[in-house]
């Protein structure tokens, strides 16, 4: 993070990458109880929501390269996001048998629908589809597209503009303008469940993901956050998650050979 005293905070990654998300190698340790999981909800509430998002100093994510999983969640917790055209954003967690929301760090299931709408958010989560910066801008996930050379300066200026009330101070967890009306949202969720059961009838985690999203729509984002925490911890120790992580590392090893 880059700090400017009494004015703004802008965040960017190193070596042309914003953040690739959580280190998947730690999954095995957590599943085997060798690594203790974070205290449920602590990081997601205390750091992202109650510290970053609720801060009196605005934060702006400067996104280049990858912004995946927990990396994208950090960006979504900021008050604005600036991206390069070639940046890649997405939530690939379902490929590993879990839902977005690893280790109580993220609450992507609650923020993404409030930034891009319920239909697109479900598509991104359930298919693990990555999108480029331009599409993210069209959807409202990022606020501006600039070249890599302009990225940091533009993010700094956006933070100053927010501080001086020239730009809106947006807390993504509490946005409602992109959420469909309740009746329409129910139909979207119902359709998503039907499709998930058709495409993967023996997998539990896509349905769990939809249920967590629904909890946030029905009961509010904080309720959805706690349901996400609980659901993730349950899925982490499932046979499906263990098998998909094993496949992930087997494929990685094969590609290196």
């Amino acid at each position: 993070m880059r700090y400017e005293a009494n004015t703004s905070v802008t965040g960017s990654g190193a070596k042309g990458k914003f953040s690739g998300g959580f280190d998947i190698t730690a999954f095995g340790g957590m599943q085997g109880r060798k690594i203790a999981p974070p205290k449920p909800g602590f990081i997601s509430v205390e750091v992202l929501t109650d510290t970053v998002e609720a801060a009196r100093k605005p934060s702006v994510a400067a996104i280049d390269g990858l912004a995946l999983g927990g990396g994208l969640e950090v960006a979504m917790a900021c008050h604005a996001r600036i991206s390069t055209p070639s940046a890649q954003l997405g939530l690939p967690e379902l490929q590993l048998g879990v839902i977005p929301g690893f280790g109580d760090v993220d609450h992507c299931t609650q923020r993404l629908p409030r930034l891009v709408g319920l239909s697109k958010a479900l598509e991104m989560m359930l298919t693990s589809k990555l999108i480029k910066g331009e599409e993210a801008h069209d959807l409202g996930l990022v606020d501006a597209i600039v070249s890599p050379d302009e990225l940091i300066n533009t993010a700094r200026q956006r933070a100053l503009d927010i501080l001086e009330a020239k730009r809106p101070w947006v807390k993504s967890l509490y946005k409602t303008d992109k959420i469909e009306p309740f009746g329409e949202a129910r139909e979207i969720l119902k359709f998503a469940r039907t499709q998930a059961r058709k495409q993967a009838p023996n997998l539990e985690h896509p349905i769990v993901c939809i249920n967590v999203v629904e909890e946030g729509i029905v009961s509010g984002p904080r309720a959805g956050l706690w349901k996400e925490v609980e659901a993730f911890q349950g899925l982490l120790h499932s046979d499906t998650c263990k098998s998909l992580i094993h496949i992930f590392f087997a494929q990685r090893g094969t590609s290196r050979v």
Side-chain angles (χ1 to χ4, degrees), residues 81 110-118 139-141 143 168-182 184 217:
R81 288 149 296 283
Q110 306 307 309
R111 293 183 186 277
L112 190 61
R114 288 165 171 77
L115 287 170
V116 305
L118 184 55
L139 291 170
L141 182 53
D143 300 285
W169 193 307
V170 177
K171 297 181 179 181
S172 63
L173 191 61
Y174 302 101
K175 274 174 58 68
T176 59
D177 59 296
K178 288 290 188 76
I179 297 293
E180 290 82 352
F182 189 71
E184 184 180 344
I217 300 297

Side-chain angles (χ1 to χ4, degrees), residues 3 13 18-19 27 30 32 53 80 95 99 101 103 114 116 120 123-124 128 136 165 168 179 205 225 246:
Y3 292 87
F18 183 79
S19 173
F27 270 63
M30 293 182 66
E53 191 169 56
Q95 292 183 1
I99 62 172
R114 288 165 171 77
V116 305
K120 188 63 182 181
E123 177 190 335
M124 287 180 63
S128 298
I179 297 293
H205 60 288
L225 165 62
H246 178 77

Side-chain angles (χ1 to χ4, degrees), residues 43-98:
I43 297 178
S44 53
V45 174
E46 297 294 334
V47 176
L48 290 184
T49 300
D50 295 340
T51 300
V52 175
E53 191 169 56
R56 288 179 291 178
K57 182 181 288 190
S59 57
V60 177
I63 304 172
D64 193 16
L66 299 175
L68 306 180
L72 180 56
E73 170 57 26
V74 171
M76 289 193 290
C78 292
H79 302 103
R81 288 149 296 283
I82 311 298
S83 172
T84 62
S86 60
Q88 297 184 72
L89 304 88
L91 302 172
E93 286 89 341
L94 264 76
Q95 292 183 1
L96 300 174
V98 292

Side-chain angles (χ1 to χ4, degrees), residues 37 45 59 77 90-91 102 119 147 150 186 214 230 238 257:
V45 174
S59 57
L91 302 172
F102 170 69
S119 293
S147 70
E150 301 172 312
R186 285 283 201 186
E214 183 175 42
E230 179 183 1
S238 69
V257 172

Side-chain angles (χ1 to χ4, degrees), residues 141-209:
L141 182 53
V142 301
D143 300 285
I145 296 293
V146 298
S147 70
D149 292 340
E150 301 172 312
L151 184 60
I152 297 299
N153 287 338
T154 303
R156 285 175 173 162
Q157 186 58 56
R158 177 63 65 113
L160 290 169
D161 287 347
I162 293 172
L163 188 69
E164 296 167 2
K166 296 177 182 177
R167 300 274 189 176
W169 193 307
V170 177
K171 297 181 179 181
S172 63
L173 191 61
Y174 302 101
K175 274 174 58 68
T176 59
D177 59 296
K178 288 290 188 76
I179 297 293
E180 290 82 352
F182 189 71
E184 184 180 344
R186 285 283 201 186
E187 290 302 312
I188 292 170
L189 290 160
K190 180 180 177 181
F191 178 77
R193 283 194 186 91
T194 300
Q195 292 300 108
R197 289 189 176 107
K198 284 182 179 178
Q199 295 171 7
N202 298 317
L203 295 181
E204 174 192 11
H205 60 288
I207 300 299
V208 172
C209 182

